[in-house]
Every structure is written in C-alpha cells, then in structure tokens.
Amino acid sequence: MNRWERRGTKRLGSCKNISSVAGRGGARSVLVAGGAGFLGSELCKRYLQKGYDVTCLDDLSSGRLVNLEGHLNHPKFTFLRQDVSKPLNLEGSFEYIFNLACPASPPKYQADPLQTMKTCLFGAFNLLDLARATGARILQASTSEVYGDPHVSPQKESYAGNVNTYGPRSCYDEGKRAAETIFHDYHECHGVDLRVARIFNSYGPGMDPQDGRVVSNFITQALQGERITVFGDGSQTRSFCYLDDTVDGLIALMHSPPSEFEPVNIGNPKETPVGKLAELVLEKISSTSRVSYLDLPQDDPKRRRPDITRARTRLGWEPRVNLSDGLDRTIGYFRNELAASGKIVPGAM
Ligand code: UDP
C-alpha cells in the first residue's frame, strides 16, 4: 500500500475504496466514521489538536474532501475512503470510535433510501463488531429524528416518538431508531462500552452549501438575492445548535463515565420558527430577497425542541453560542464560499 493510501495527501482525492488497511490502533487513537462530514471533520480536527492519532473513514457520498483539507498532511491523520455498510476489514484497534456515517439532510438521505437504511443498520453492526473485538468505546450519532413529528414538546429522551414507518423520511428516522436498538442490544448482550447522542439541528461554518438544509438554503438564497424558500407557513420550529456546541457535547459524552444505556439529547433548547429564521437571515444580510411559501414536505416535524436536562446533569454541558452570533459566523463562512465559487445553487428535494 502506498503512503498516500493510508495518509491524507494531495493525491487523496483520487483514493479508491480500500478493502484492507492497517488501523494505527490502540490508546489515543480515534476512528471517526463519517469524518469528512460537517460534524465529523470538526471532530477529526479536535482530536488531532488533542494529540490523538485520527483515522477518518468516509465514502464521500455526502462528506466532502474540502472539509479535511486542513488535516491531510498531518502526520497523525489517516483517510480511508470506504462505505461503512460494507465489511470494514480494519486491522488494529482504536480507543474511541465515533459513528457519524450517514447523510443527514433530507434531500441527501432521501436520494437513495435503501442505501441510507443499509448505512444505518450495517454501519452500526460493522462498527459495533469492531468495538467489541477491540475493546473500543463507541459513540453513535443518533438524531432528533427518532422523535419523528413529536406529540410532546420539549422532547425528553424517554419520549418514544411519533414516526411513520414508510414515509419519505422513514429511511433515516427508522434507520437511526433501529441503529439505537442495535446499540442497545450490543450493550446488553455483549457489554460493549457505548454512548448514544441524539443530535438536534446543527449549523455553522463548514456546512455543505448545497445540502438543502434550511440554514444553508436561507443564507445562500439571501446572499444571492434569490427567493427564500419557506416550506409550509413557516410556523414549524427547529432548535438550532451551533457547530462548536454540538461537537463539545459529543466529546463530553464520549468521555463521560459509563452508565446504563441512556441516549442523551445534544441540542439547543431555544426553539425558533422557520419563518422567524428567514426574517433573521434577511435582516442580518440586509437582503432584498422575497419569501416564497412552498408546500410543506410530507411528515415534516411541526415542533422540535430538546429537553437537555440529562446532558446538563450527566455531562455538565449546555450550548453557549446563541443563534444571532452563530448566524453571523455562518453567514461569514457562506460569503467566503460564494466569493470563491461565484454562484451557489442551494440543494433541493
Ligand atoms: N425548510 C424550509 N426551506 C428550505 C429547507 C428547509 O422551509 O429551503 C424547512 C423544512 O421543511 C423543515 C425545516 O426547514 O421544516 C428544517 O429543515 P432541514 O432540512 O434543515 O432539517 P430537518 O427537517 O431534518 O430538521
């Protein structure tokens, strides 16, 4: 195997799937599956800063090499282009494994629903088997989508959710729910040391401008003077958590003491209607964009707000960046992206 196949280098962009590689292994070694994504790449960066050996595994179906540019020549960084739903054949071991491998934006995960389901299920089995075989601690990036279109708000971890088994969002929602079940059963049956984070809507610099999420769409539309596409009447709510806060929460959870199987909500409890988000973005950018109201997609949750009591008490964690400051930083990032590319076509369903 060439050096460039194991380490990030300029030739990494042409790296092919690798069926068998030697993991660096052992203590102070982290595997981030989905490490080329928005959150995963930030995790890679944080662990490199802490002095860990970091292996990033990603098939680049929604992750982007550009997110790894800062790490590619780092001597402790390895990139493996691989689909987590296929057998991993990784040699060596890791102290910590993060599973963030799955497209997370509705247009991306709905584009190939069966593959989304395979990624959630087979990815969970493959990484849990690796954790079990090597004694690693593993964290599953679950999601607020396990609550579906909730009948209660805010959502506590004890709420079982209201999820459609065969709607357009089901491949992701049910895939992530089943993955939680698999994690639970590996904990019960095999004693795997694991953590489950239910991540609520996260945003910030590094988002894919074309992933079709509400924050990236509204900002790129407003910056380009295009119509802001509000789905429905804009009264549906989301609770937006800034990148740094989400990643702080994931790291705090990974390094928290063992407990019974207990998923933990990682999100910002401040709830914002989508229509209000559009107003905020327009105001901050001083944009002349008009708002278009389009059909609300099927099964789009009407309210989403985490109860973070468990994260506060177990991890001593809570978000620190408010929406206004987070949006300012995110708008700055998208301005730079736009200046570099000239034009951004927002993602669409
Ligand atoms: N949304 C919108 N306009 C867009 C994209 C999304 O109004 O251009 C709405 C979407 O219908 C949902 C909310 O914004 O109610 C959050 O959507 P996103 O895709 O960001 O995340 P998710 O639905 O998975 O929370």
Side-chain angles (χ1 to χ4, degrees):
M1 183 185 315
N2 299 329
R3 183 176 176 276
W4 65 269
E5 286 180 314
R6 293 190 58 235
R7 301 257 176 92
T9 74
K10 286 199 165 51
R11 294 182 61 193
L12 178 146
S14 58
C15 187
K16 298 282 189 300
N17 285 355
I18 298 167
S19 59
S20 176
V21 293
R24 289 166 154 273
R28 296 193 67 76
S29 178
V30 179
L31 174 67
V32 184
F38 165 56
L39 297 176
S41 56
E42 183 65 21
L43 274 171
C44 291
K45 184 176 104 188
R46 296 281 196 94
Y47 278 93
L48 285 172
Q49 286 169 348
K50 289 169 187 279
Y52 281 75
D53 286 313
V54 174
T55 299
C56 164
L57 187 149
D58 204 302
D59 67 355
L60 302 181
S61 55
S62 63
R64 300 184 303 149
L65 279 177
V66 70
N67 289 336
L68 303 176
E69 258 170 11
H71 322 326
L72 296 183
N73 291 317
H74 196 293
K76 285 176 174 276
F77 185 72
T78 303
F79 174 75
L80 306 176
R81 183 167 185 177
Q82 188 167 335
D83 176 349
V84 77
S85 72
K86 304 266 169 56
L88 296 180
N89 298 323
L90 285 167
E91 292 166 15
S93 60
F94 302 91
E95 188 174 3
Y96 300 111
I97 299 172
F98 287 90
N99 180 21
L100 290 93
C102 189
S105 86
K108 292 263 162 97
Y109 68 65
Q110 290 173 23
D112 189 348
L114 291 171
Q115 182 55 43
T116 297
M117 195 55 122
K118 282 184 187 170
T119 301
C120 291
L121 271 59
F122 301 152
F125 277 113
N126 288 336
L127 291 171
L128 281 161
D129 283 340
L130 179 66
R132 185 182 171 206
T134 60
R137 178 179 297 173
I138 180 167
L139 182 146
Q140 166 70 354
S142 190
T143 168
S144 54
E145 290 283 337
V146 300
Y147 302 118
D149 187 6
H151 289 148
V152 298
S153 198
Q155 293 86 51
K156 280 187 199 297
E157 291 87 348
S158 54
Y159 177 53
N162 171 42
V163 182
N164 190 350
T165 54
Y166 56 87
R169 303 177 83 98
S170 304
C171 57
Y172 185 72
D173 298 11
E174 295 289 25
K176 288 286 187 179
R177 285 168 66 91
E180 281 200 15
T181 307
I182 296 165
F183 268 70
H184 171 267
D185 294 347
Y186 266 70
H187 182 65
E188 293 297 308
C189 301
H190 301 308
V192 173
D193 182 15
L194 55 84
R195 311 284 185 273
V196 175
R198 290 182 178 162
I199 302 172
F200 284 63
N201 297 66
S202 297
Y203 72 101
M207 291 183 89
D208 180 352
Q210 296 183 306
D211 81 351
R213 315 233 29 183
V214 69
V215 173
S216 46
N217 276 7
F218 285 3
I219 295 176
T220 54
Q221 288 162 343
L223 286 174
Q224 297 177 102
E226 291 170 0
R227 282 183 173 265
I228 306 286
T229 54
V230 171
F231 300 161
D233 63 5
S235 62
Q236 74 272 29
T237 65
R238 294 294 184 273
S239 300
F240 298 101
C241 194
Y242 188 68
L243 167 68
D244 292 358
D245 285 330
T246 301
V247 171
D248 285 346
L250 295 177
I251 293 172
L253 179 59
M254 179 60 104
H255 295 272
S256 64
S259 70
E260 292 306 302
F261 181 84
E262 256 192 359
V264 179
N265 287 339
I266 298 292
N268 193 319
K270 174 84 175 60
E271 186 178 16
T272 305
V274 162
K276 174 76 186 162
L277 177 73
E279 283 171 21
L280 256 172
V281 168
L282 285 170
E283 192 185 301
K284 283 185 172 294
I285 293 175
S286 303
S287 170
T288 53
S289 290
R290 310 268 302 270
V291 174
S292 289
Y293 293 91
L294 308 177
D295 288 345
L296 188 67
Q298 186 192 333
D299 295 336
D300 198 292
K302 286 176 258 330
R303 292 196 72 179
R304 182 179 291 156
R305 180 183 171 212
D307 181 316
I308 61 164
T309 308
R310 187 175 284 175
R312 280 196 177 108
T313 49
R314 257 193 71 184
L315 313 178
W317 171 89
E318 63 182 356
R320 289 186 293 196
V321 181
N322 66 37
L323 184 59
S324 178
D325 291 346
L327 281 179
D328 288 341
R329 297 180 207 174
T330 310
I331 289 168
Y333 156 75
F334 279 117
R335 273 193 208 284
N336 292 339
E337 289 290 296
L338 194 55
S341 62
K343 171 87 190 153
I344 291 174
V345 181
M349 292 285 207

